[in-house]
Amino acid sequence: MNKLDAQRQKEIQQAEELLFAGAQALGFAKGLFQGHFVSDWVMPYPRIPEAQEGELVQTLAELRKFLNEDLDAAEIDRKADIPRSVIDGLGRIGVLGMTAPKEYGGRGFSQMANCKLLEEIGRRCASTSVFVNAHHSIGIRALLLFGTHEQKQKWLPKLVSGEQLGAFALTEKEAGSDAANVQMQARPSEDGSHFILNGEKRYITNAAIAHELTVMARTPVPGSDKTAVTAFLVTPDMRGFEMLEARMAKTGIRGTATGRFALRDVKVPKENVLGPMGKGLKVALTVLDFGRTTFGACCTGAAKTCLELAVAHANTRRQFNKTLSEFELVKKKIARIAADAYAMEAMTTVTASFIDRGLEDYMLETAMLKVFTTERLWECINDVFQIYGGSAYFTDLPLERMLRDARINQIGEGANEVLTSFIALVGMRGPGMEFKEIYDTLMKPSRDGISKAWAAGKNRLSATVRVPDVPVQSEQLRSHAQQLGRLIWRFNFAVNRALITYREPILDMQLVQERIANAAMDLFASTCVLSRVDGEIQFTERNGDAASPDDSAADLFLRQSFRRIRGFLAGLTDNDDKAVIAAAKSCLTDSGSGTTHTSGIQSLYATIR
Ligand SMILES: Cc1cc2nc3c(=O)[nH]c(=O)nc-3n(C[C@H](O)[C@H](O)[C@H](O)COP(=O)(O)OP(=O)(O)OC[C@H]3O[C@@H](n4cnc5c(N)ncnc54)[C@H](O)[C@@H]3O)c2cc1C
């Protein structure tokens, strides 16, 4: 085995251990890749339990009032700071510890309810929503999920009230998208009482204002010469903690404090280890599931603002003796924003419900939500910017700020390219393993192998002959549901064909992966939309309302999404991939163009951001 192959095998093994250890439940997205529609994950459309609804409505009203009166997004951007009064106000309402258990001073809200609150903040100010996410969705999340009772008792009360703030520190110079490449070292002391941390972190939101930072560092694996990543609770008052840059000047979300810091021989007590030793990447992966869900909520809020702004301007601005709203090319943009905002909300709600129901393994769905909502929001902002014409370009309107703020979304918490690759590769692993079972048995028959291959073959075959049922309640949605079922069937067929055609090299074929991931994302988005509109129709019928709800945004979304899916699948066989690679190769230097050998595996492995 040459060095590259050995490296590749090592990465595959690491990815397998990280992502696929333990029982693998068939979640909704993984089901899509197998040609199944796992309906009980997504239907009926989730609703906030009645018992919680009153408290949510009241909290939402309180939050809206506070944000309307006390949050000035333009000033936060101009001064590049979120005033302490805003942080205190959010703390008072409970936003900084919304999902923390009541016993530690939190509000005990579900993730679905929390998303409704984040949507409200995302509507108004991206700096503030990113600040809240960095603190609550990821900063204190490892403590909430993996902390011992003693750790929670010690740290949480001040963090959930907002008296203290949290941050999540994974990124380093050499560990950006390749998050597994963390270089910060944590060496155990001779007496075992503490760890000595050395290294630097960069691009960390809240770093300079946090009182507690969840820091990822490399610890030795006992009995071997290997190291693995472990999560630590670090406080800035520890000797050797050095803030190198408290507020890095940046394009957007300027109110957030994005920092760079060094740890130089920092002694961290062993009591500050968060979660199991050597399982820091798993901790990070789980934490980011929460971050990506609230990311979806914030993007939904911002998309709703885009719609409001677009409608207001289109209705009032006159050119050619007409309002802009009378032009079809303006209508087209407004319709698309409305359809996307509807879908973003539906996807966020459904994904948050997976967390609330304690379902196992929703990392594909959270990755899909993050990529889908951040890409759609970018389009929404671009559309509303265009509708405003020249006026959008000036700083007296919020659009240029919104444009700057939204650009980080496609990069942070996992660059969208990396997550796209991840979605395709993790999704294809299930059917890929079944094909491998069949292939290995054909090459080397054994009694055990034959029975496993038989089961795998039966599974593959049943998915190719049966169009999955999409069980909607409302008669008027049957046709959309049938189309969705047929598209899932076609998707599964395309996945099988890609796996059979390309075999292992598919791990590096990102252009193929992108089409498969895009189709899967639209299938998930369409499912959430169908589930939501079905729920709304059923709710109206149950309440005896004569008028059906306006489902035009949902209808448009489904039509456009189905058309996109057909396009992605067609692109698998009709494309310019060879020309794309050739044109890129002619621009890239030798060192840049010849290094794709392990990139597929790396993206699979490094998706935890
Ligand atoms: C404002 C801001 C706030 C942040 N807050 C935090 C925080 O609180 N905590 C934290 O830990 N980190 C934080 N980050 C870091 C953020 O998560 C990283 O910037 C992100 O993961 C990308 O890493 P990178 O910037 O090193 O880009 P690189 O890894 O250098 O990637 C650059 C680009 O290369 C492409 N690329 C990379 N890998 C692949 C691949 N496998 N396949 C295809 N294309 C690829 C992508 O287009 C990517 O955008 C923050 C960053 C910013 C800008």
mmCIF file of all heavy atoms in Angstrom, residues 130 134 138 167-173 175-178 201-206 250 252-253 256 258 408 410-418 421 510 599-600 602-604 606 609, ligand 1:
data_model
loop_
_atom_site.group_PDB
_atom_site.id
_atom_site.type_symbol
_atom_site.label_atom_id
_atom_site.label_comp_id
_atom_site.label_asym_id
_atom_site.label_seq_id
_atom_site.Cartn_x
_atom_site.Cartn_y
_atom_site.Cartn_z
ATOM 1 N N VAL A 130 -26.297 35.935 15.807
ATOM 2 C CA VAL A 130 -25.057 35.139 15.832
ATOM 3 C C VAL A 130 -24.465 35.143 17.242
ATOM 4 O O VAL A 130 -23.984 34.109 17.731
ATOM 5 C CB VAL A 130 -24.037 35.665 14.794
ATOM 6 C CG1 VAL A 130 -22.674 35.004 14.982
ATOM 7 C CG2 VAL A 130 -24.541 35.412 13.375
ATOM 8 N N ALA A 134 -23.799 31.805 19.266
ATOM 9 C CA ALA A 134 -22.451 31.446 19.721
ATOM 10 C C ALA A 134 -22.464 31.143 21.216
ATOM 11 O O ALA A 134 -21.762 30.245 21.692
ATOM 12 C CB ALA A 134 -21.472 32.576 19.419
ATOM 13 N N ILE A 138 -24.123 26.965 20.709
ATOM 14 C CA ILE A 138 -22.891 26.165 20.693
ATOM 15 C C ILE A 138 -21.985 26.414 21.909
ATOM 16 O O ILE A 138 -21.345 25.489 22.392
ATOM 17 C CB ILE A 138 -22.108 26.325 19.362
ATOM 18 C CG1 ILE A 138 -21.698 27.772 19.082
ATOM 19 C CG2 ILE A 138 -22.913 25.783 18.190
ATOM 20 C CD1 ILE A 138 -20.807 27.939 17.829
ATOM 21 N N ALA A 167 -18.481 30.707 24.769
ATOM 22 C CA ALA A 167 -17.982 30.660 23.383
ATOM 23 C C ALA A 167 -17.578 29.226 23.071
ATOM 24 O O ALA A 167 -17.362 28.419 23.989
ATOM 25 C CB ALA A 167 -16.785 31.592 23.215
ATOM 26 N N PHE A 168 -17.483 28.940 21.790
ATOM 27 C CA PHE A 168 -17.128 27.593 21.330
ATOM 28 C C PHE A 168 -15.892 27.731 20.443
ATOM 29 O O PHE A 168 -15.944 28.403 19.404
ATOM 30 C CB PHE A 168 -18.308 27.028 20.542
ATOM 31 C CG PHE A 168 -18.065 25.692 19.912
ATOM 32 C CD1 PHE A 168 -18.145 24.527 20.663
ATOM 33 C CD2 PHE A 168 -17.780 25.592 18.558
ATOM 34 C CE1 PHE A 168 -17.939 23.294 20.074
ATOM 35 C CE2 PHE A 168 -17.576 24.360 17.958
ATOM 36 C CZ PHE A 168 -17.656 23.206 18.720
ATOM 37 N N ALA A 169 -14.778 27.141 20.872
ATOM 38 C CA ALA A 169 -13.511 27.402 20.178
ATOM 39 C C ALA A 169 -12.931 26.130 19.578
ATOM 40 O O ALA A 169 -12.305 25.329 20.273
ATOM 41 C CB ALA A 169 -12.527 28.030 21.151
ATOM 42 N N LEU A 170 -13.152 25.978 18.290
ATOM 43 C CA LEU A 170 -12.620 24.836 17.562
ATOM 44 C C LEU A 170 -11.589 25.290 16.521
ATOM 45 O O LEU A 170 -10.511 24.711 16.391
ATOM 46 C CB LEU A 170 -13.800 24.111 16.884
ATOM 47 C CG LEU A 170 -13.518 22.920 15.982
ATOM 48 C CD1 LEU A 170 -12.774 21.839 16.725
ATOM 49 C CD2 LEU A 170 -14.836 22.347 15.462
ATOM 50 N N THR A 171 -11.910 26.369 15.798
ATOM 51 C CA THR A 171 -11.109 26.753 14.634
ATOM 52 C C THR A 171 -9.690 27.212 14.999
ATOM 53 O O THR A 171 -9.492 27.943 15.973
ATOM 54 C CB THR A 171 -11.830 27.886 13.876
ATOM 55 O OG1 THR A 171 -13.104 27.399 13.496
ATOM 56 C CG2 THR A 171 -11.059 28.311 12.635
ATOM 57 N N GLU A 172 -8.752 26.748 14.181
ATOM 58 C CA GLU A 172 -7.352 27.188 14.273
ATOM 59 C C GLU A 172 -6.866 27.458 12.860
ATOM 60 O O GLU A 172 -7.565 27.148 11.892
ATOM 61 C CB GLU A 172 -6.489 26.072 14.881
ATOM 62 C CG GLU A 172 -6.916 25.651 16.263
ATOM 63 C CD GLU A 172 -6.140 24.426 16.762
ATOM 64 O OE1 GLU A 172 -5.182 24.003 16.077
ATOM 65 O OE2 GLU A 172 -6.508 23.907 17.816
ATOM 66 N N LYS A 173 -5.637 27.962 12.771
ATOM 67 C CA LYS A 173 -5.082 28.251 11.443
ATOM 68 C C LYS A 173 -5.112 26.997 10.564
ATOM 69 O O LYS A 173 -5.536 27.042 9.412
ATOM 70 C CB LYS A 173 -3.652 28.768 11.600
ATOM 71 C CG LYS A 173 -3.040 29.285 10.326
ATOM 72 C CD LYS A 173 -1.888 30.229 10.654
ATOM 73 C CE LYS A 173 -1.270 30.789 9.396
ATOM 74 N NZ LYS A 173 -0.201 29.985 8.849
ATOM 75 N N ALA A 175 -6.785 24.223 11.252
ATOM 76 C CA ALA A 175 -8.028 23.450 11.430
ATOM 77 C C ALA A 175 -9.215 24.356 11.140
ATOM 78 O O ALA A 175 -9.862 24.890 12.040
ATOM 79 C CB ALA A 175 -8.112 22.893 12.847
ATOM 80 N N GLY A 176 -9.449 24.593 9.847
ATOM 81 C CA GLY A 176 -10.622 25.358 9.412
ATOM 82 C C GLY A 176 -11.680 24.347 9.026
ATOM 83 O O GLY A 176 -12.281 23.703 9.892
ATOM 84 N N SER A 177 -11.890 24.168 7.710
ATOM 85 C CA SER A 177 -12.818 23.119 7.277
ATOM 86 C C SER A 177 -12.330 21.757 7.741
ATOM 87 O O SER A 177 -13.116 20.876 8.073
ATOM 88 C CB SER A 177 -12.925 23.123 5.746
ATOM 89 O OG SER A 177 -13.479 24.338 5.314
ATOM 90 N N ASP A 178 -11.021 21.585 7.763
ATOM 91 C CA ASP A 178 -10.434 20.311 8.206
ATOM 92 C C ASP A 178 -10.355 20.320 9.726
ATOM 93 O O ASP A 178 -9.274 20.359 10.316
ATOM 94 C CB ASP A 178 -9.041 20.187 7.570
ATOM 95 C CG ASP A 178 -8.426 18.823 7.802
ATOM 96 O OD1 ASP A 178 -9.093 17.971 8.413
ATOM 97 O OD2 ASP A 178 -7.289 18.611 7.369
ATOM 98 N N LYS A 201 -6.172 29.693 18.836
ATOM 99 C CA LYS A 201 -7.482 29.570 18.173
ATOM 100 C C LYS A 201 -7.770 30.893 17.467
ATOM 101 O O LYS A 201 -7.371 31.958 17.954
ATOM 102 C CB LYS A 201 -8.590 29.303 19.212
ATOM 103 C CG LYS A 201 -8.444 27.982 19.968
ATOM 104 C CD LYS A 201 -8.942 26.817 19.142
ATOM 105 C CE LYS A 201 -8.722 25.482 19.850
ATOM 106 N NZ LYS A 201 -9.026 24.334 18.966
ATOM 107 N N ARG A 202 -8.477 30.809 16.360
ATOM 108 C CA ARG A 202 -8.836 32.062 15.678
ATOM 109 C C ARG A 202 -10.295 32.028 15.225
ATOM 110 O O ARG A 202 -10.903 30.952 15.187
ATOM 111 C CB ARG A 202 -7.906 32.324 14.498
ATOM 112 C CG ARG A 202 -8.104 31.370 13.323
ATOM 113 C CD ARG A 202 -7.225 31.818 12.145
ATOM 114 N NE ARG A 202 -7.491 31.034 10.963
ATOM 115 C CZ ARG A 202 -6.872 31.220 9.806
ATOM 116 N NH1 ARG A 202 -5.943 32.129 9.678
ATOM 117 N NH2 ARG A 202 -7.177 30.478 8.757
ATOM 118 N N TYR A 203 -10.790 33.198 14.847
ATOM 119 C CA TYR A 203 -12.172 33.371 14.361
ATOM 120 C C TYR A 203 -13.200 32.896 15.400
ATOM 121 O O TYR A 203 -14.183 32.245 15.036
ATOM 122 C CB TYR A 203 -12.425 32.582 13.078
ATOM 123 C CG TYR A 203 -11.514 32.831 11.904
ATOM 124 C CD1 TYR A 203 -11.518 31.936 10.830
ATOM 125 C CD2 TYR A 203 -10.691 33.934 11.836
ATOM 126 C CE1 TYR A 203 -10.704 32.143 9.728
ATOM 127 C CE2 TYR A 203 -9.870 34.143 10.734
ATOM 128 C CZ TYR A 203 -9.876 33.245 9.689
ATOM 129 O OH TYR A 203 -9.070 33.428 8.597
ATOM 130 N N ILE A 204 -12.998 33.161 16.652
ATOM 131 C CA ILE A 204 -13.918 32.626 17.668
ATOM 132 C C ILE A 204 -14.901 33.724 18.109
ATOM 133 O O ILE A 204 -14.499 34.738 18.697
ATOM 134 C CB ILE A 204 -13.138 32.076 18.896
ATOM 135 C CG1 ILE A 204 -12.071 31.060 18.443
ATOM 136 C CG2 ILE A 204 -14.109 31.466 19.920
ATOM 137 C CD1 ILE A 204 -12.578 29.880 17.634
ATOM 138 N N THR A 205 -16.190 33.485 17.838
ATOM 139 C CA THR A 205 -17.223 34.452 18.219
ATOM 140 C C THR A 205 -17.326 34.493 19.742
ATOM 141 O O THR A 205 -17.350 33.440 20.390
ATOM 142 C CB THR A 205 -18.583 34.051 17.608
ATOM 143 O OG1 THR A 205 -18.407 33.851 16.214
ATOM 144 C CG2 THR A 205 -19.647 35.115 17.848
ATOM 145 N N ASN A 206 -17.397 35.694 20.276
ATOM 146 C CA ASN A 206 -17.531 35.939 21.725
ATOM 147 C C ASN A 206 -16.242 35.691 22.513
ATOM 148 O O ASN A 206 -16.264 35.805 23.747
ATOM 149 C CB ASN A 206 -18.641 35.079 22.385
ATOM 150 C CG ASN A 206 -20.033 35.464 21.937
ATOM 151 O OD1 ASN A 206 -20.194 36.427 21.200
ATOM 152 N ND2 ASN A 206 -21.031 34.715 22.383
ATOM 153 N N LYS A 250 -14.198 43.163 10.443
ATOM 154 C CA LYS A 250 -14.724 42.238 9.435
ATOM 155 C C LYS A 250 -15.866 42.820 8.603
ATOM 156 O O LYS A 250 -16.397 43.889 8.904
ATOM 157 C CB LYS A 250 -15.138 40.914 10.090
ATOM 158 C CG LYS A 250 -16.162 41.016 11.197
ATOM 159 C CD LYS A 250 -16.274 39.662 11.900
ATOM 160 C CE LYS A 250 -17.434 39.612 12.869
ATOM 161 N NZ LYS A 250 -17.240 40.420 14.072
ATOM 162 N N GLY A 252 -19.147 41.695 7.830
ATOM 163 C CA GLY A 252 -20.524 41.759 8.340
ATOM 164 C C GLY A 252 -20.586 41.273 9.775
ATOM 165 O O GLY A 252 -19.542 41.111 10.419
ATOM 166 N N ILE A 253 -21.821 41.051 10.256
ATOM 167 C CA ILE A 253 -22.085 40.750 11.679
ATOM 168 C C ILE A 253 -21.041 41.464 12.564
ATOM 169 O O ILE A 253 -20.422 40.870 13.433
ATOM 170 C CB ILE A 253 -22.190 39.231 11.976
ATOM 171 C CG1 ILE A 253 -20.981 38.425 11.480
ATOM 172 C CG2 ILE A 253 -23.468 38.649 11.431
ATOM 173 C CD1 ILE A 253 -20.899 37.009 12.118
ATOM 174 N N THR A 256 -20.661 41.446 16.468
ATOM 175 C CA THR A 256 -20.101 40.318 17.221
ATOM 176 C C THR A 256 -18.608 40.531 17.420
ATOM 177 O O THR A 256 -17.937 41.115 16.576
ATOM 178 C CB THR A 256 -20.304 38.973 16.484
ATOM 179 O OG1 THR A 256 -19.681 39.039 15.205
ATOM 180 C CG2 THR A 256 -21.767 38.641 16.314
ATOM 181 N N THR A 258 -15.354 38.844 17.248
ATOM 182 C CA THR A 258 -14.703 37.632 16.748
ATOM 183 C C THR A 258 -13.224 37.723 17.088
ATOM 184 O O THR A 258 -12.552 38.672 16.654
ATOM 185 C CB THR A 258 -14.864 37.520 15.213
ATOM 186 O OG1 THR A 258 -16.198 37.849 14.871
ATOM 187 C CG2 THR A 258 -14.523 36.131 14.720
ATOM 188 N N ILE A 408 -21.531 35.454 5.752
ATOM 189 C CA ILE A 408 -20.813 34.495 6.603
ATOM 190 C C ILE A 408 -21.547 33.145 6.684
ATOM 191 O O ILE A 408 -20.950 32.097 6.908
ATOM 192 C CB ILE A 408 -20.605 35.070 8.035
ATOM 193 C CG1 ILE A 408 -19.813 34.092 8.934
ATOM 194 C CG2 ILE A 408 -21.906 35.414 8.701
ATOM 195 C CD1 ILE A 408 -18.476 33.707 8.416
ATOM 196 N N GLN A 410 -22.742 31.079 4.632
ATOM 197 C CA GLN A 410 -22.349 29.955 3.771
ATOM 198 C C GLN A 410 -20.969 29.408 4.143
ATOM 199 O O GLN A 410 -20.566 28.365 3.646
ATOM 200 C CB GLN A 410 -22.356 30.401 2.296
ATOM 201 C CG GLN A 410 -23.778 30.611 1.774
ATOM 202 C CD GLN A 410 -23.861 31.814 0.867
ATOM 203 O OE1 GLN A 410 -23.524 32.938 1.247
ATOM 204 N NE2 GLN A 410 -24.302 31.607 -0.354
ATOM 205 N N ILE A 411 -20.281 30.137 5.041
ATOM 206 C CA ILE A 411 -18.916 29.724 5.429
ATOM 207 C C ILE A 411 -18.879 29.133 6.847
ATOM 208 O O ILE A 411 -18.281 28.087 7.081
ATOM 209 C CB ILE A 411 -17.953 30.941 5.347
ATOM 210 C CG1 ILE A 411 -17.888 31.454 3.905
ATOM 211 C CG2 ILE A 411 -16.561 30.572 5.853
ATOM 212 C CD1 ILE A 411 -17.214 32.807 3.745
ATOM 213 N N GLY A 412 -19.518 29.840 7.791
ATOM 214 C CA GLY A 412 -19.422 29.450 9.203
ATOM 215 C C GLY A 412 -20.145 28.141 9.517
ATOM 216 O O GLY A 412 -21.005 27.699 8.767
ATOM 217 N N GLU A 413 -19.755 27.523 10.636
ATOM 218 C CA GLU A 413 -20.321 26.238 11.093
ATOM 219 C C GLU A 413 -20.344 25.191 9.981
ATOM 220 O O GLU A 413 -21.317 24.459 9.813
ATOM 221 C CB GLU A 413 -21.713 26.440 11.703
ATOM 222 C CG GLU A 413 -21.632 27.192 13.029
ATOM 223 C CD GLU A 413 -22.865 27.087 13.894
ATOM 224 O OE1 GLU A 413 -23.598 26.092 13.777
ATOM 225 O OE2 GLU A 413 -23.084 28.006 14.694
ATOM 226 N N GLY A 414 -19.273 25.172 9.198
ATOM 227 C CA GLY A 414 -19.158 24.197 8.108
ATOM 228 C C GLY A 414 -19.411 24.874 6.783
ATOM 229 O O GLY A 414 -20.550 25.258 6.489
ATOM 230 N N ALA A 415 -18.344 25.053 5.977
ATOM 231 C CA ALA A 415 -18.521 25.667 4.651
ATOM 232 C C ALA A 415 -19.511 24.792 3.862
ATOM 233 O O ALA A 415 -19.501 23.564 3.979
ATOM 234 C CB ALA A 415 -17.184 25.744 3.937
ATOM 235 N N ASN A 416 -20.363 25.450 3.078
ATOM 236 C CA ASN A 416 -21.427 24.704 2.406
ATOM 237 C C ASN A 416 -20.893 23.628 1.461
ATOM 238 O O ASN A 416 -21.528 22.582 1.291
ATOM 239 C CB ASN A 416 -22.369 25.663 1.683
ATOM 240 C CG ASN A 416 -23.306 26.359 2.663
ATOM 241 O OD1 ASN A 416 -23.203 26.154 3.875
ATOM 242 N ND2 ASN A 416 -24.210 27.178 2.160
ATOM 243 N N GLU A 417 -19.735 23.852 0.865
ATOM 244 C CA GLU A 417 -19.169 22.818 -0.019
ATOM 245 C C GLU A 417 -18.855 21.546 0.780
ATOM 246 O O GLU A 417 -19.111 20.428 0.340
ATOM 247 C CB GLU A 417 -17.867 23.307 -0.679
ATOM 248 C CG GLU A 417 -18.036 24.391 -1.706
ATOM 249 C CD GLU A 417 -18.218 25.768 -1.089
ATOM 250 O OE1 GLU A 417 -18.179 25.895 0.150
ATOM 251 O OE2 GLU A 417 -18.419 26.715 -1.859
ATOM 252 N N VAL A 418 -18.262 21.762 1.962
ATOM 253 C CA VAL A 418 -17.867 20.622 2.792
ATOM 254 C C VAL A 418 -19.118 19.856 3.242
ATOM 255 O O VAL A 418 -19.169 18.620 3.198
ATOM 256 C CB VAL A 418 -17.051 21.122 4.007
ATOM 257 C CG1 VAL A 418 -16.656 19.967 4.903
ATOM 258 C CG2 VAL A 418 -15.816 21.863 3.539
ATOM 259 N N SER A 421 -20.730 17.825 0.352
ATOM 260 C CA SER A 421 -20.018 16.572 0.153
ATOM 261 C C SER A 421 -20.395 15.565 1.254
ATOM 262 O O SER A 421 -20.639 14.380 0.999
ATOM 263 C CB SER A 421 -18.524 16.886 0.201
ATOM 264 O OG SER A 421 -17.789 15.850 -0.293
ATOM 265 N N GLN A 510 -16.699 15.237 -6.369
ATOM 266 C CA GLN A 510 -17.572 16.202 -5.699
ATOM 267 C C GLN A 510 -18.648 16.776 -6.618
ATOM 268 O O GLN A 510 -19.688 17.226 -6.137
ATOM 269 C CB GLN A 510 -16.730 17.337 -5.108
ATOM 270 C CG GLN A 510 -15.887 16.889 -3.925
ATOM 271 C CD GLN A 510 -15.320 18.051 -3.149
ATOM 272 O OE1 GLN A 510 -15.022 19.102 -3.700
ATOM 273 N NE2 GLN A 510 -15.155 17.866 -1.856
ATOM 274 N N SER A 599 -9.462 14.252 -0.899
ATOM 275 C CA SER A 599 -10.343 15.346 -0.512
ATOM 276 C C SER A 599 -11.747 14.871 -0.128
ATOM 277 O O SER A 599 -12.361 15.414 0.761
ATOM 278 C CB SER A 599 -10.446 16.360 -1.639
ATOM 279 O OG SER A 599 -11.032 15.745 -2.757
ATOM 280 N N GLY A 600 -12.230 13.810 -0.817
ATOM 281 C CA GLY A 600 -13.573 13.331 -0.516
ATOM 282 C C GLY A 600 -13.668 12.819 0.897
ATOM 283 O O GLY A 600 -14.571 13.162 1.652
ATOM 284 N N GLN A 602 -11.648 13.500 3.304
ATOM 285 C CA GLN A 602 -11.433 14.579 4.264
ATOM 286 C C GLN A 602 -12.715 15.345 4.502
ATOM 287 O O GLN A 602 -13.031 15.692 5.631
ATOM 288 C CB GLN A 602 -10.342 15.524 3.756
ATOM 289 C CG GLN A 602 -8.961 14.972 4.067
ATOM 290 C CD GLN A 602 -7.885 15.657 3.276
ATOM 291 O OE1 GLN A 602 -8.171 16.482 2.417
ATOM 292 N NE2 GLN A 602 -6.656 15.310 3.539
ATOM 293 N N SER A 603 -13.476 15.577 3.416
ATOM 294 C CA SER A 603 -14.687 16.354 3.648
ATOM 295 C C SER A 603 -15.688 15.564 4.474
ATOM 296 O O SER A 603 -16.380 16.099 5.308
ATOM 297 C CB SER A 603 -15.336 16.824 2.351
ATOM 298 O OG SER A 603 -15.093 15.966 1.322
ATOM 299 N N LEU A 604 -15.730 14.250 4.246
ATOM 300 C CA LEU A 604 -16.627 13.412 5.037
ATOM 301 C C LEU A 604 -16.267 13.529 6.510
ATOM 302 O O LEU A 604 -17.097 13.681 7.382
ATOM 303 C CB LEU A 604 -16.478 11.952 4.584
ATOM 304 C CG LEU A 604 -17.275 10.939 5.380
ATOM 305 C CD1 LEU A 604 -18.692 10.901 4.869
ATOM 306 C CD2 LEU A 604 -16.670 9.573 5.279
ATOM 307 N N ALA A 606 -14.360 15.855 7.962
ATOM 308 C CA ALA A 606 -14.140 17.172 8.548
ATOM 309 C C ALA A 606 -15.390 18.011 8.572
ATOM 310 O O ALA A 606 -15.325 19.216 8.604
ATOM 311 C CB ALA A 606 -13.067 17.882 7.754
ATOM 312 N N ARG A 609 -18.054 21.266 11.203
ATOM 313 C CA ARG A 609 -18.179 22.693 11.353
ATOM 314 C C ARG A 609 -19.215 23.229 10.449
ATOM 315 O O ARG A 609 -19.399 22.827 9.420
ATOM 316 C CB ARG A 609 -16.903 23.354 10.985
ATOM 317 C CG ARG A 609 -15.717 22.463 11.035
ATOM 318 C CD ARG A 609 -15.242 22.348 12.347
ATOM 319 N NE ARG A 609 -15.463 23.663 12.822
ATOM 320 C CZ ARG A 609 -14.781 24.706 12.393
ATOM 321 N NH1 ARG A 609 -13.810 24.525 11.629
ATOM 322 N NH2 ARG A 609 -15.045 25.884 12.788
HETATM 323 C C1 LIG B 1 -17.252 35.694 11.570
HETATM 324 C C2 LIG B 1 -16.822 34.306 11.886
HETATM 325 C C3 LIG B 1 -17.191 33.723 13.090
HETATM 326 C C4 LIG B 1 -16.751 32.431 13.417
HETATM 327 N N1 LIG B 1 -17.066 31.890 14.652
HETATM 328 C C5 LIG B 1 -16.504 30.713 15.020
HETATM 329 C C6 LIG B 1 -16.681 30.210 16.355
HETATM 330 O O1 LIG B 1 -17.388 30.787 17.176
HETATM 331 N N2 LIG B 1 -16.043 29.053 16.705
HETATM 332 C C7 LIG B 1 -15.251 28.365 15.818
HETATM 333 O O2 LIG B 1 -14.700 27.342 16.195
HETATM 334 N N3 LIG B 1 -15.089 28.812 14.537
HETATM 335 C C8 LIG B 1 -15.680 29.964 14.127
HETATM 336 N N4 LIG B 1 -15.497 30.438 12.846
HETATM 337 C C9 LIG B 1 -14.690 29.657 11.914
HETATM 338 C C10 LIG B 1 -15.508 29.031 10.786
HETATM 339 O O3 LIG B 1 -16.236 27.933 11.266
HETATM 340 C C11 LIG B 1 -14.500 28.675 9.673
HETATM 341 O O4 LIG B 1 -14.166 29.905 9.067
HETATM 342 C C12 LIG B 1 -15.058 27.707 8.669
HETATM 343 O O5 LIG B 1 -15.194 26.439 9.249
HETATM 344 C C13 LIG B 1 -14.158 27.577 7.422
HETATM 345 O O6 LIG B 1 -12.829 27.399 7.750
HETATM 346 P P1 LIG B 1 -11.724 28.352 7.083
HETATM 347 O O7 LIG B 1 -12.177 29.756 7.256
HETATM 348 O O8 LIG B 1 -10.399 27.988 7.629
HETATM 349 O O9 LIG B 1 -11.792 28.032 5.531
HETATM 350 P P2 LIG B 1 -10.982 26.896 4.736
HETATM 351 O O10 LIG B 1 -11.063 25.619 5.480
HETATM 352 O O11 LIG B 1 -9.680 27.427 4.348
HETATM 353 O O12 LIG B 1 -11.901 26.743 3.441
HETATM 354 C C14 LIG B 1 -11.997 27.797 2.473
HETATM 355 C C15 LIG B 1 -12.966 27.367 1.394
HETATM 356 O O13 LIG B 1 -12.444 26.225 0.726
HETATM 357 C C16 LIG B 1 -13.479 25.389 0.285
HETATM 358 N N5 LIG B 1 -13.264 24.044 0.858
HETATM 359 C C17 LIG B 1 -12.618 23.698 1.987
HETATM 360 N N6 LIG B 1 -12.632 22.370 2.148
HETATM 361 C C18 LIG B 1 -13.282 21.842 1.102
HETATM 362 C C19 LIG B 1 -13.645 20.527 0.696
HETATM 363 N N7 LIG B 1 -13.345 19.451 1.437
HETATM 364 N N8 LIG B 1 -14.336 20.374 -0.443
HETATM 365 C C20 LIG B 1 -14.684 21.443 -1.204
HETATM 366 N N9 LIG B 1 -14.384 22.709 -0.870
HETATM 367 C C21 LIG B 1 -13.700 22.913 0.271
HETATM 368 C C22 LIG B 1 -14.802 26.014 0.794
HETATM 369 O O14 LIG B 1 -15.373 26.784 -0.245
HETATM 370 C C23 LIG B 1 -14.338 26.930 1.909
HETATM 371 O O15 LIG B 1 -15.206 28.043 2.077
HETATM 372 C C24 LIG B 1 -15.962 31.706 12.497
HETATM 373 C C25 LIG B 1 -15.617 32.292 11.272
HETATM 374 C C26 LIG B 1 -16.018 33.564 10.964
HETATM 375 C C27 LIG B 1 -15.592 34.155 9.650
#
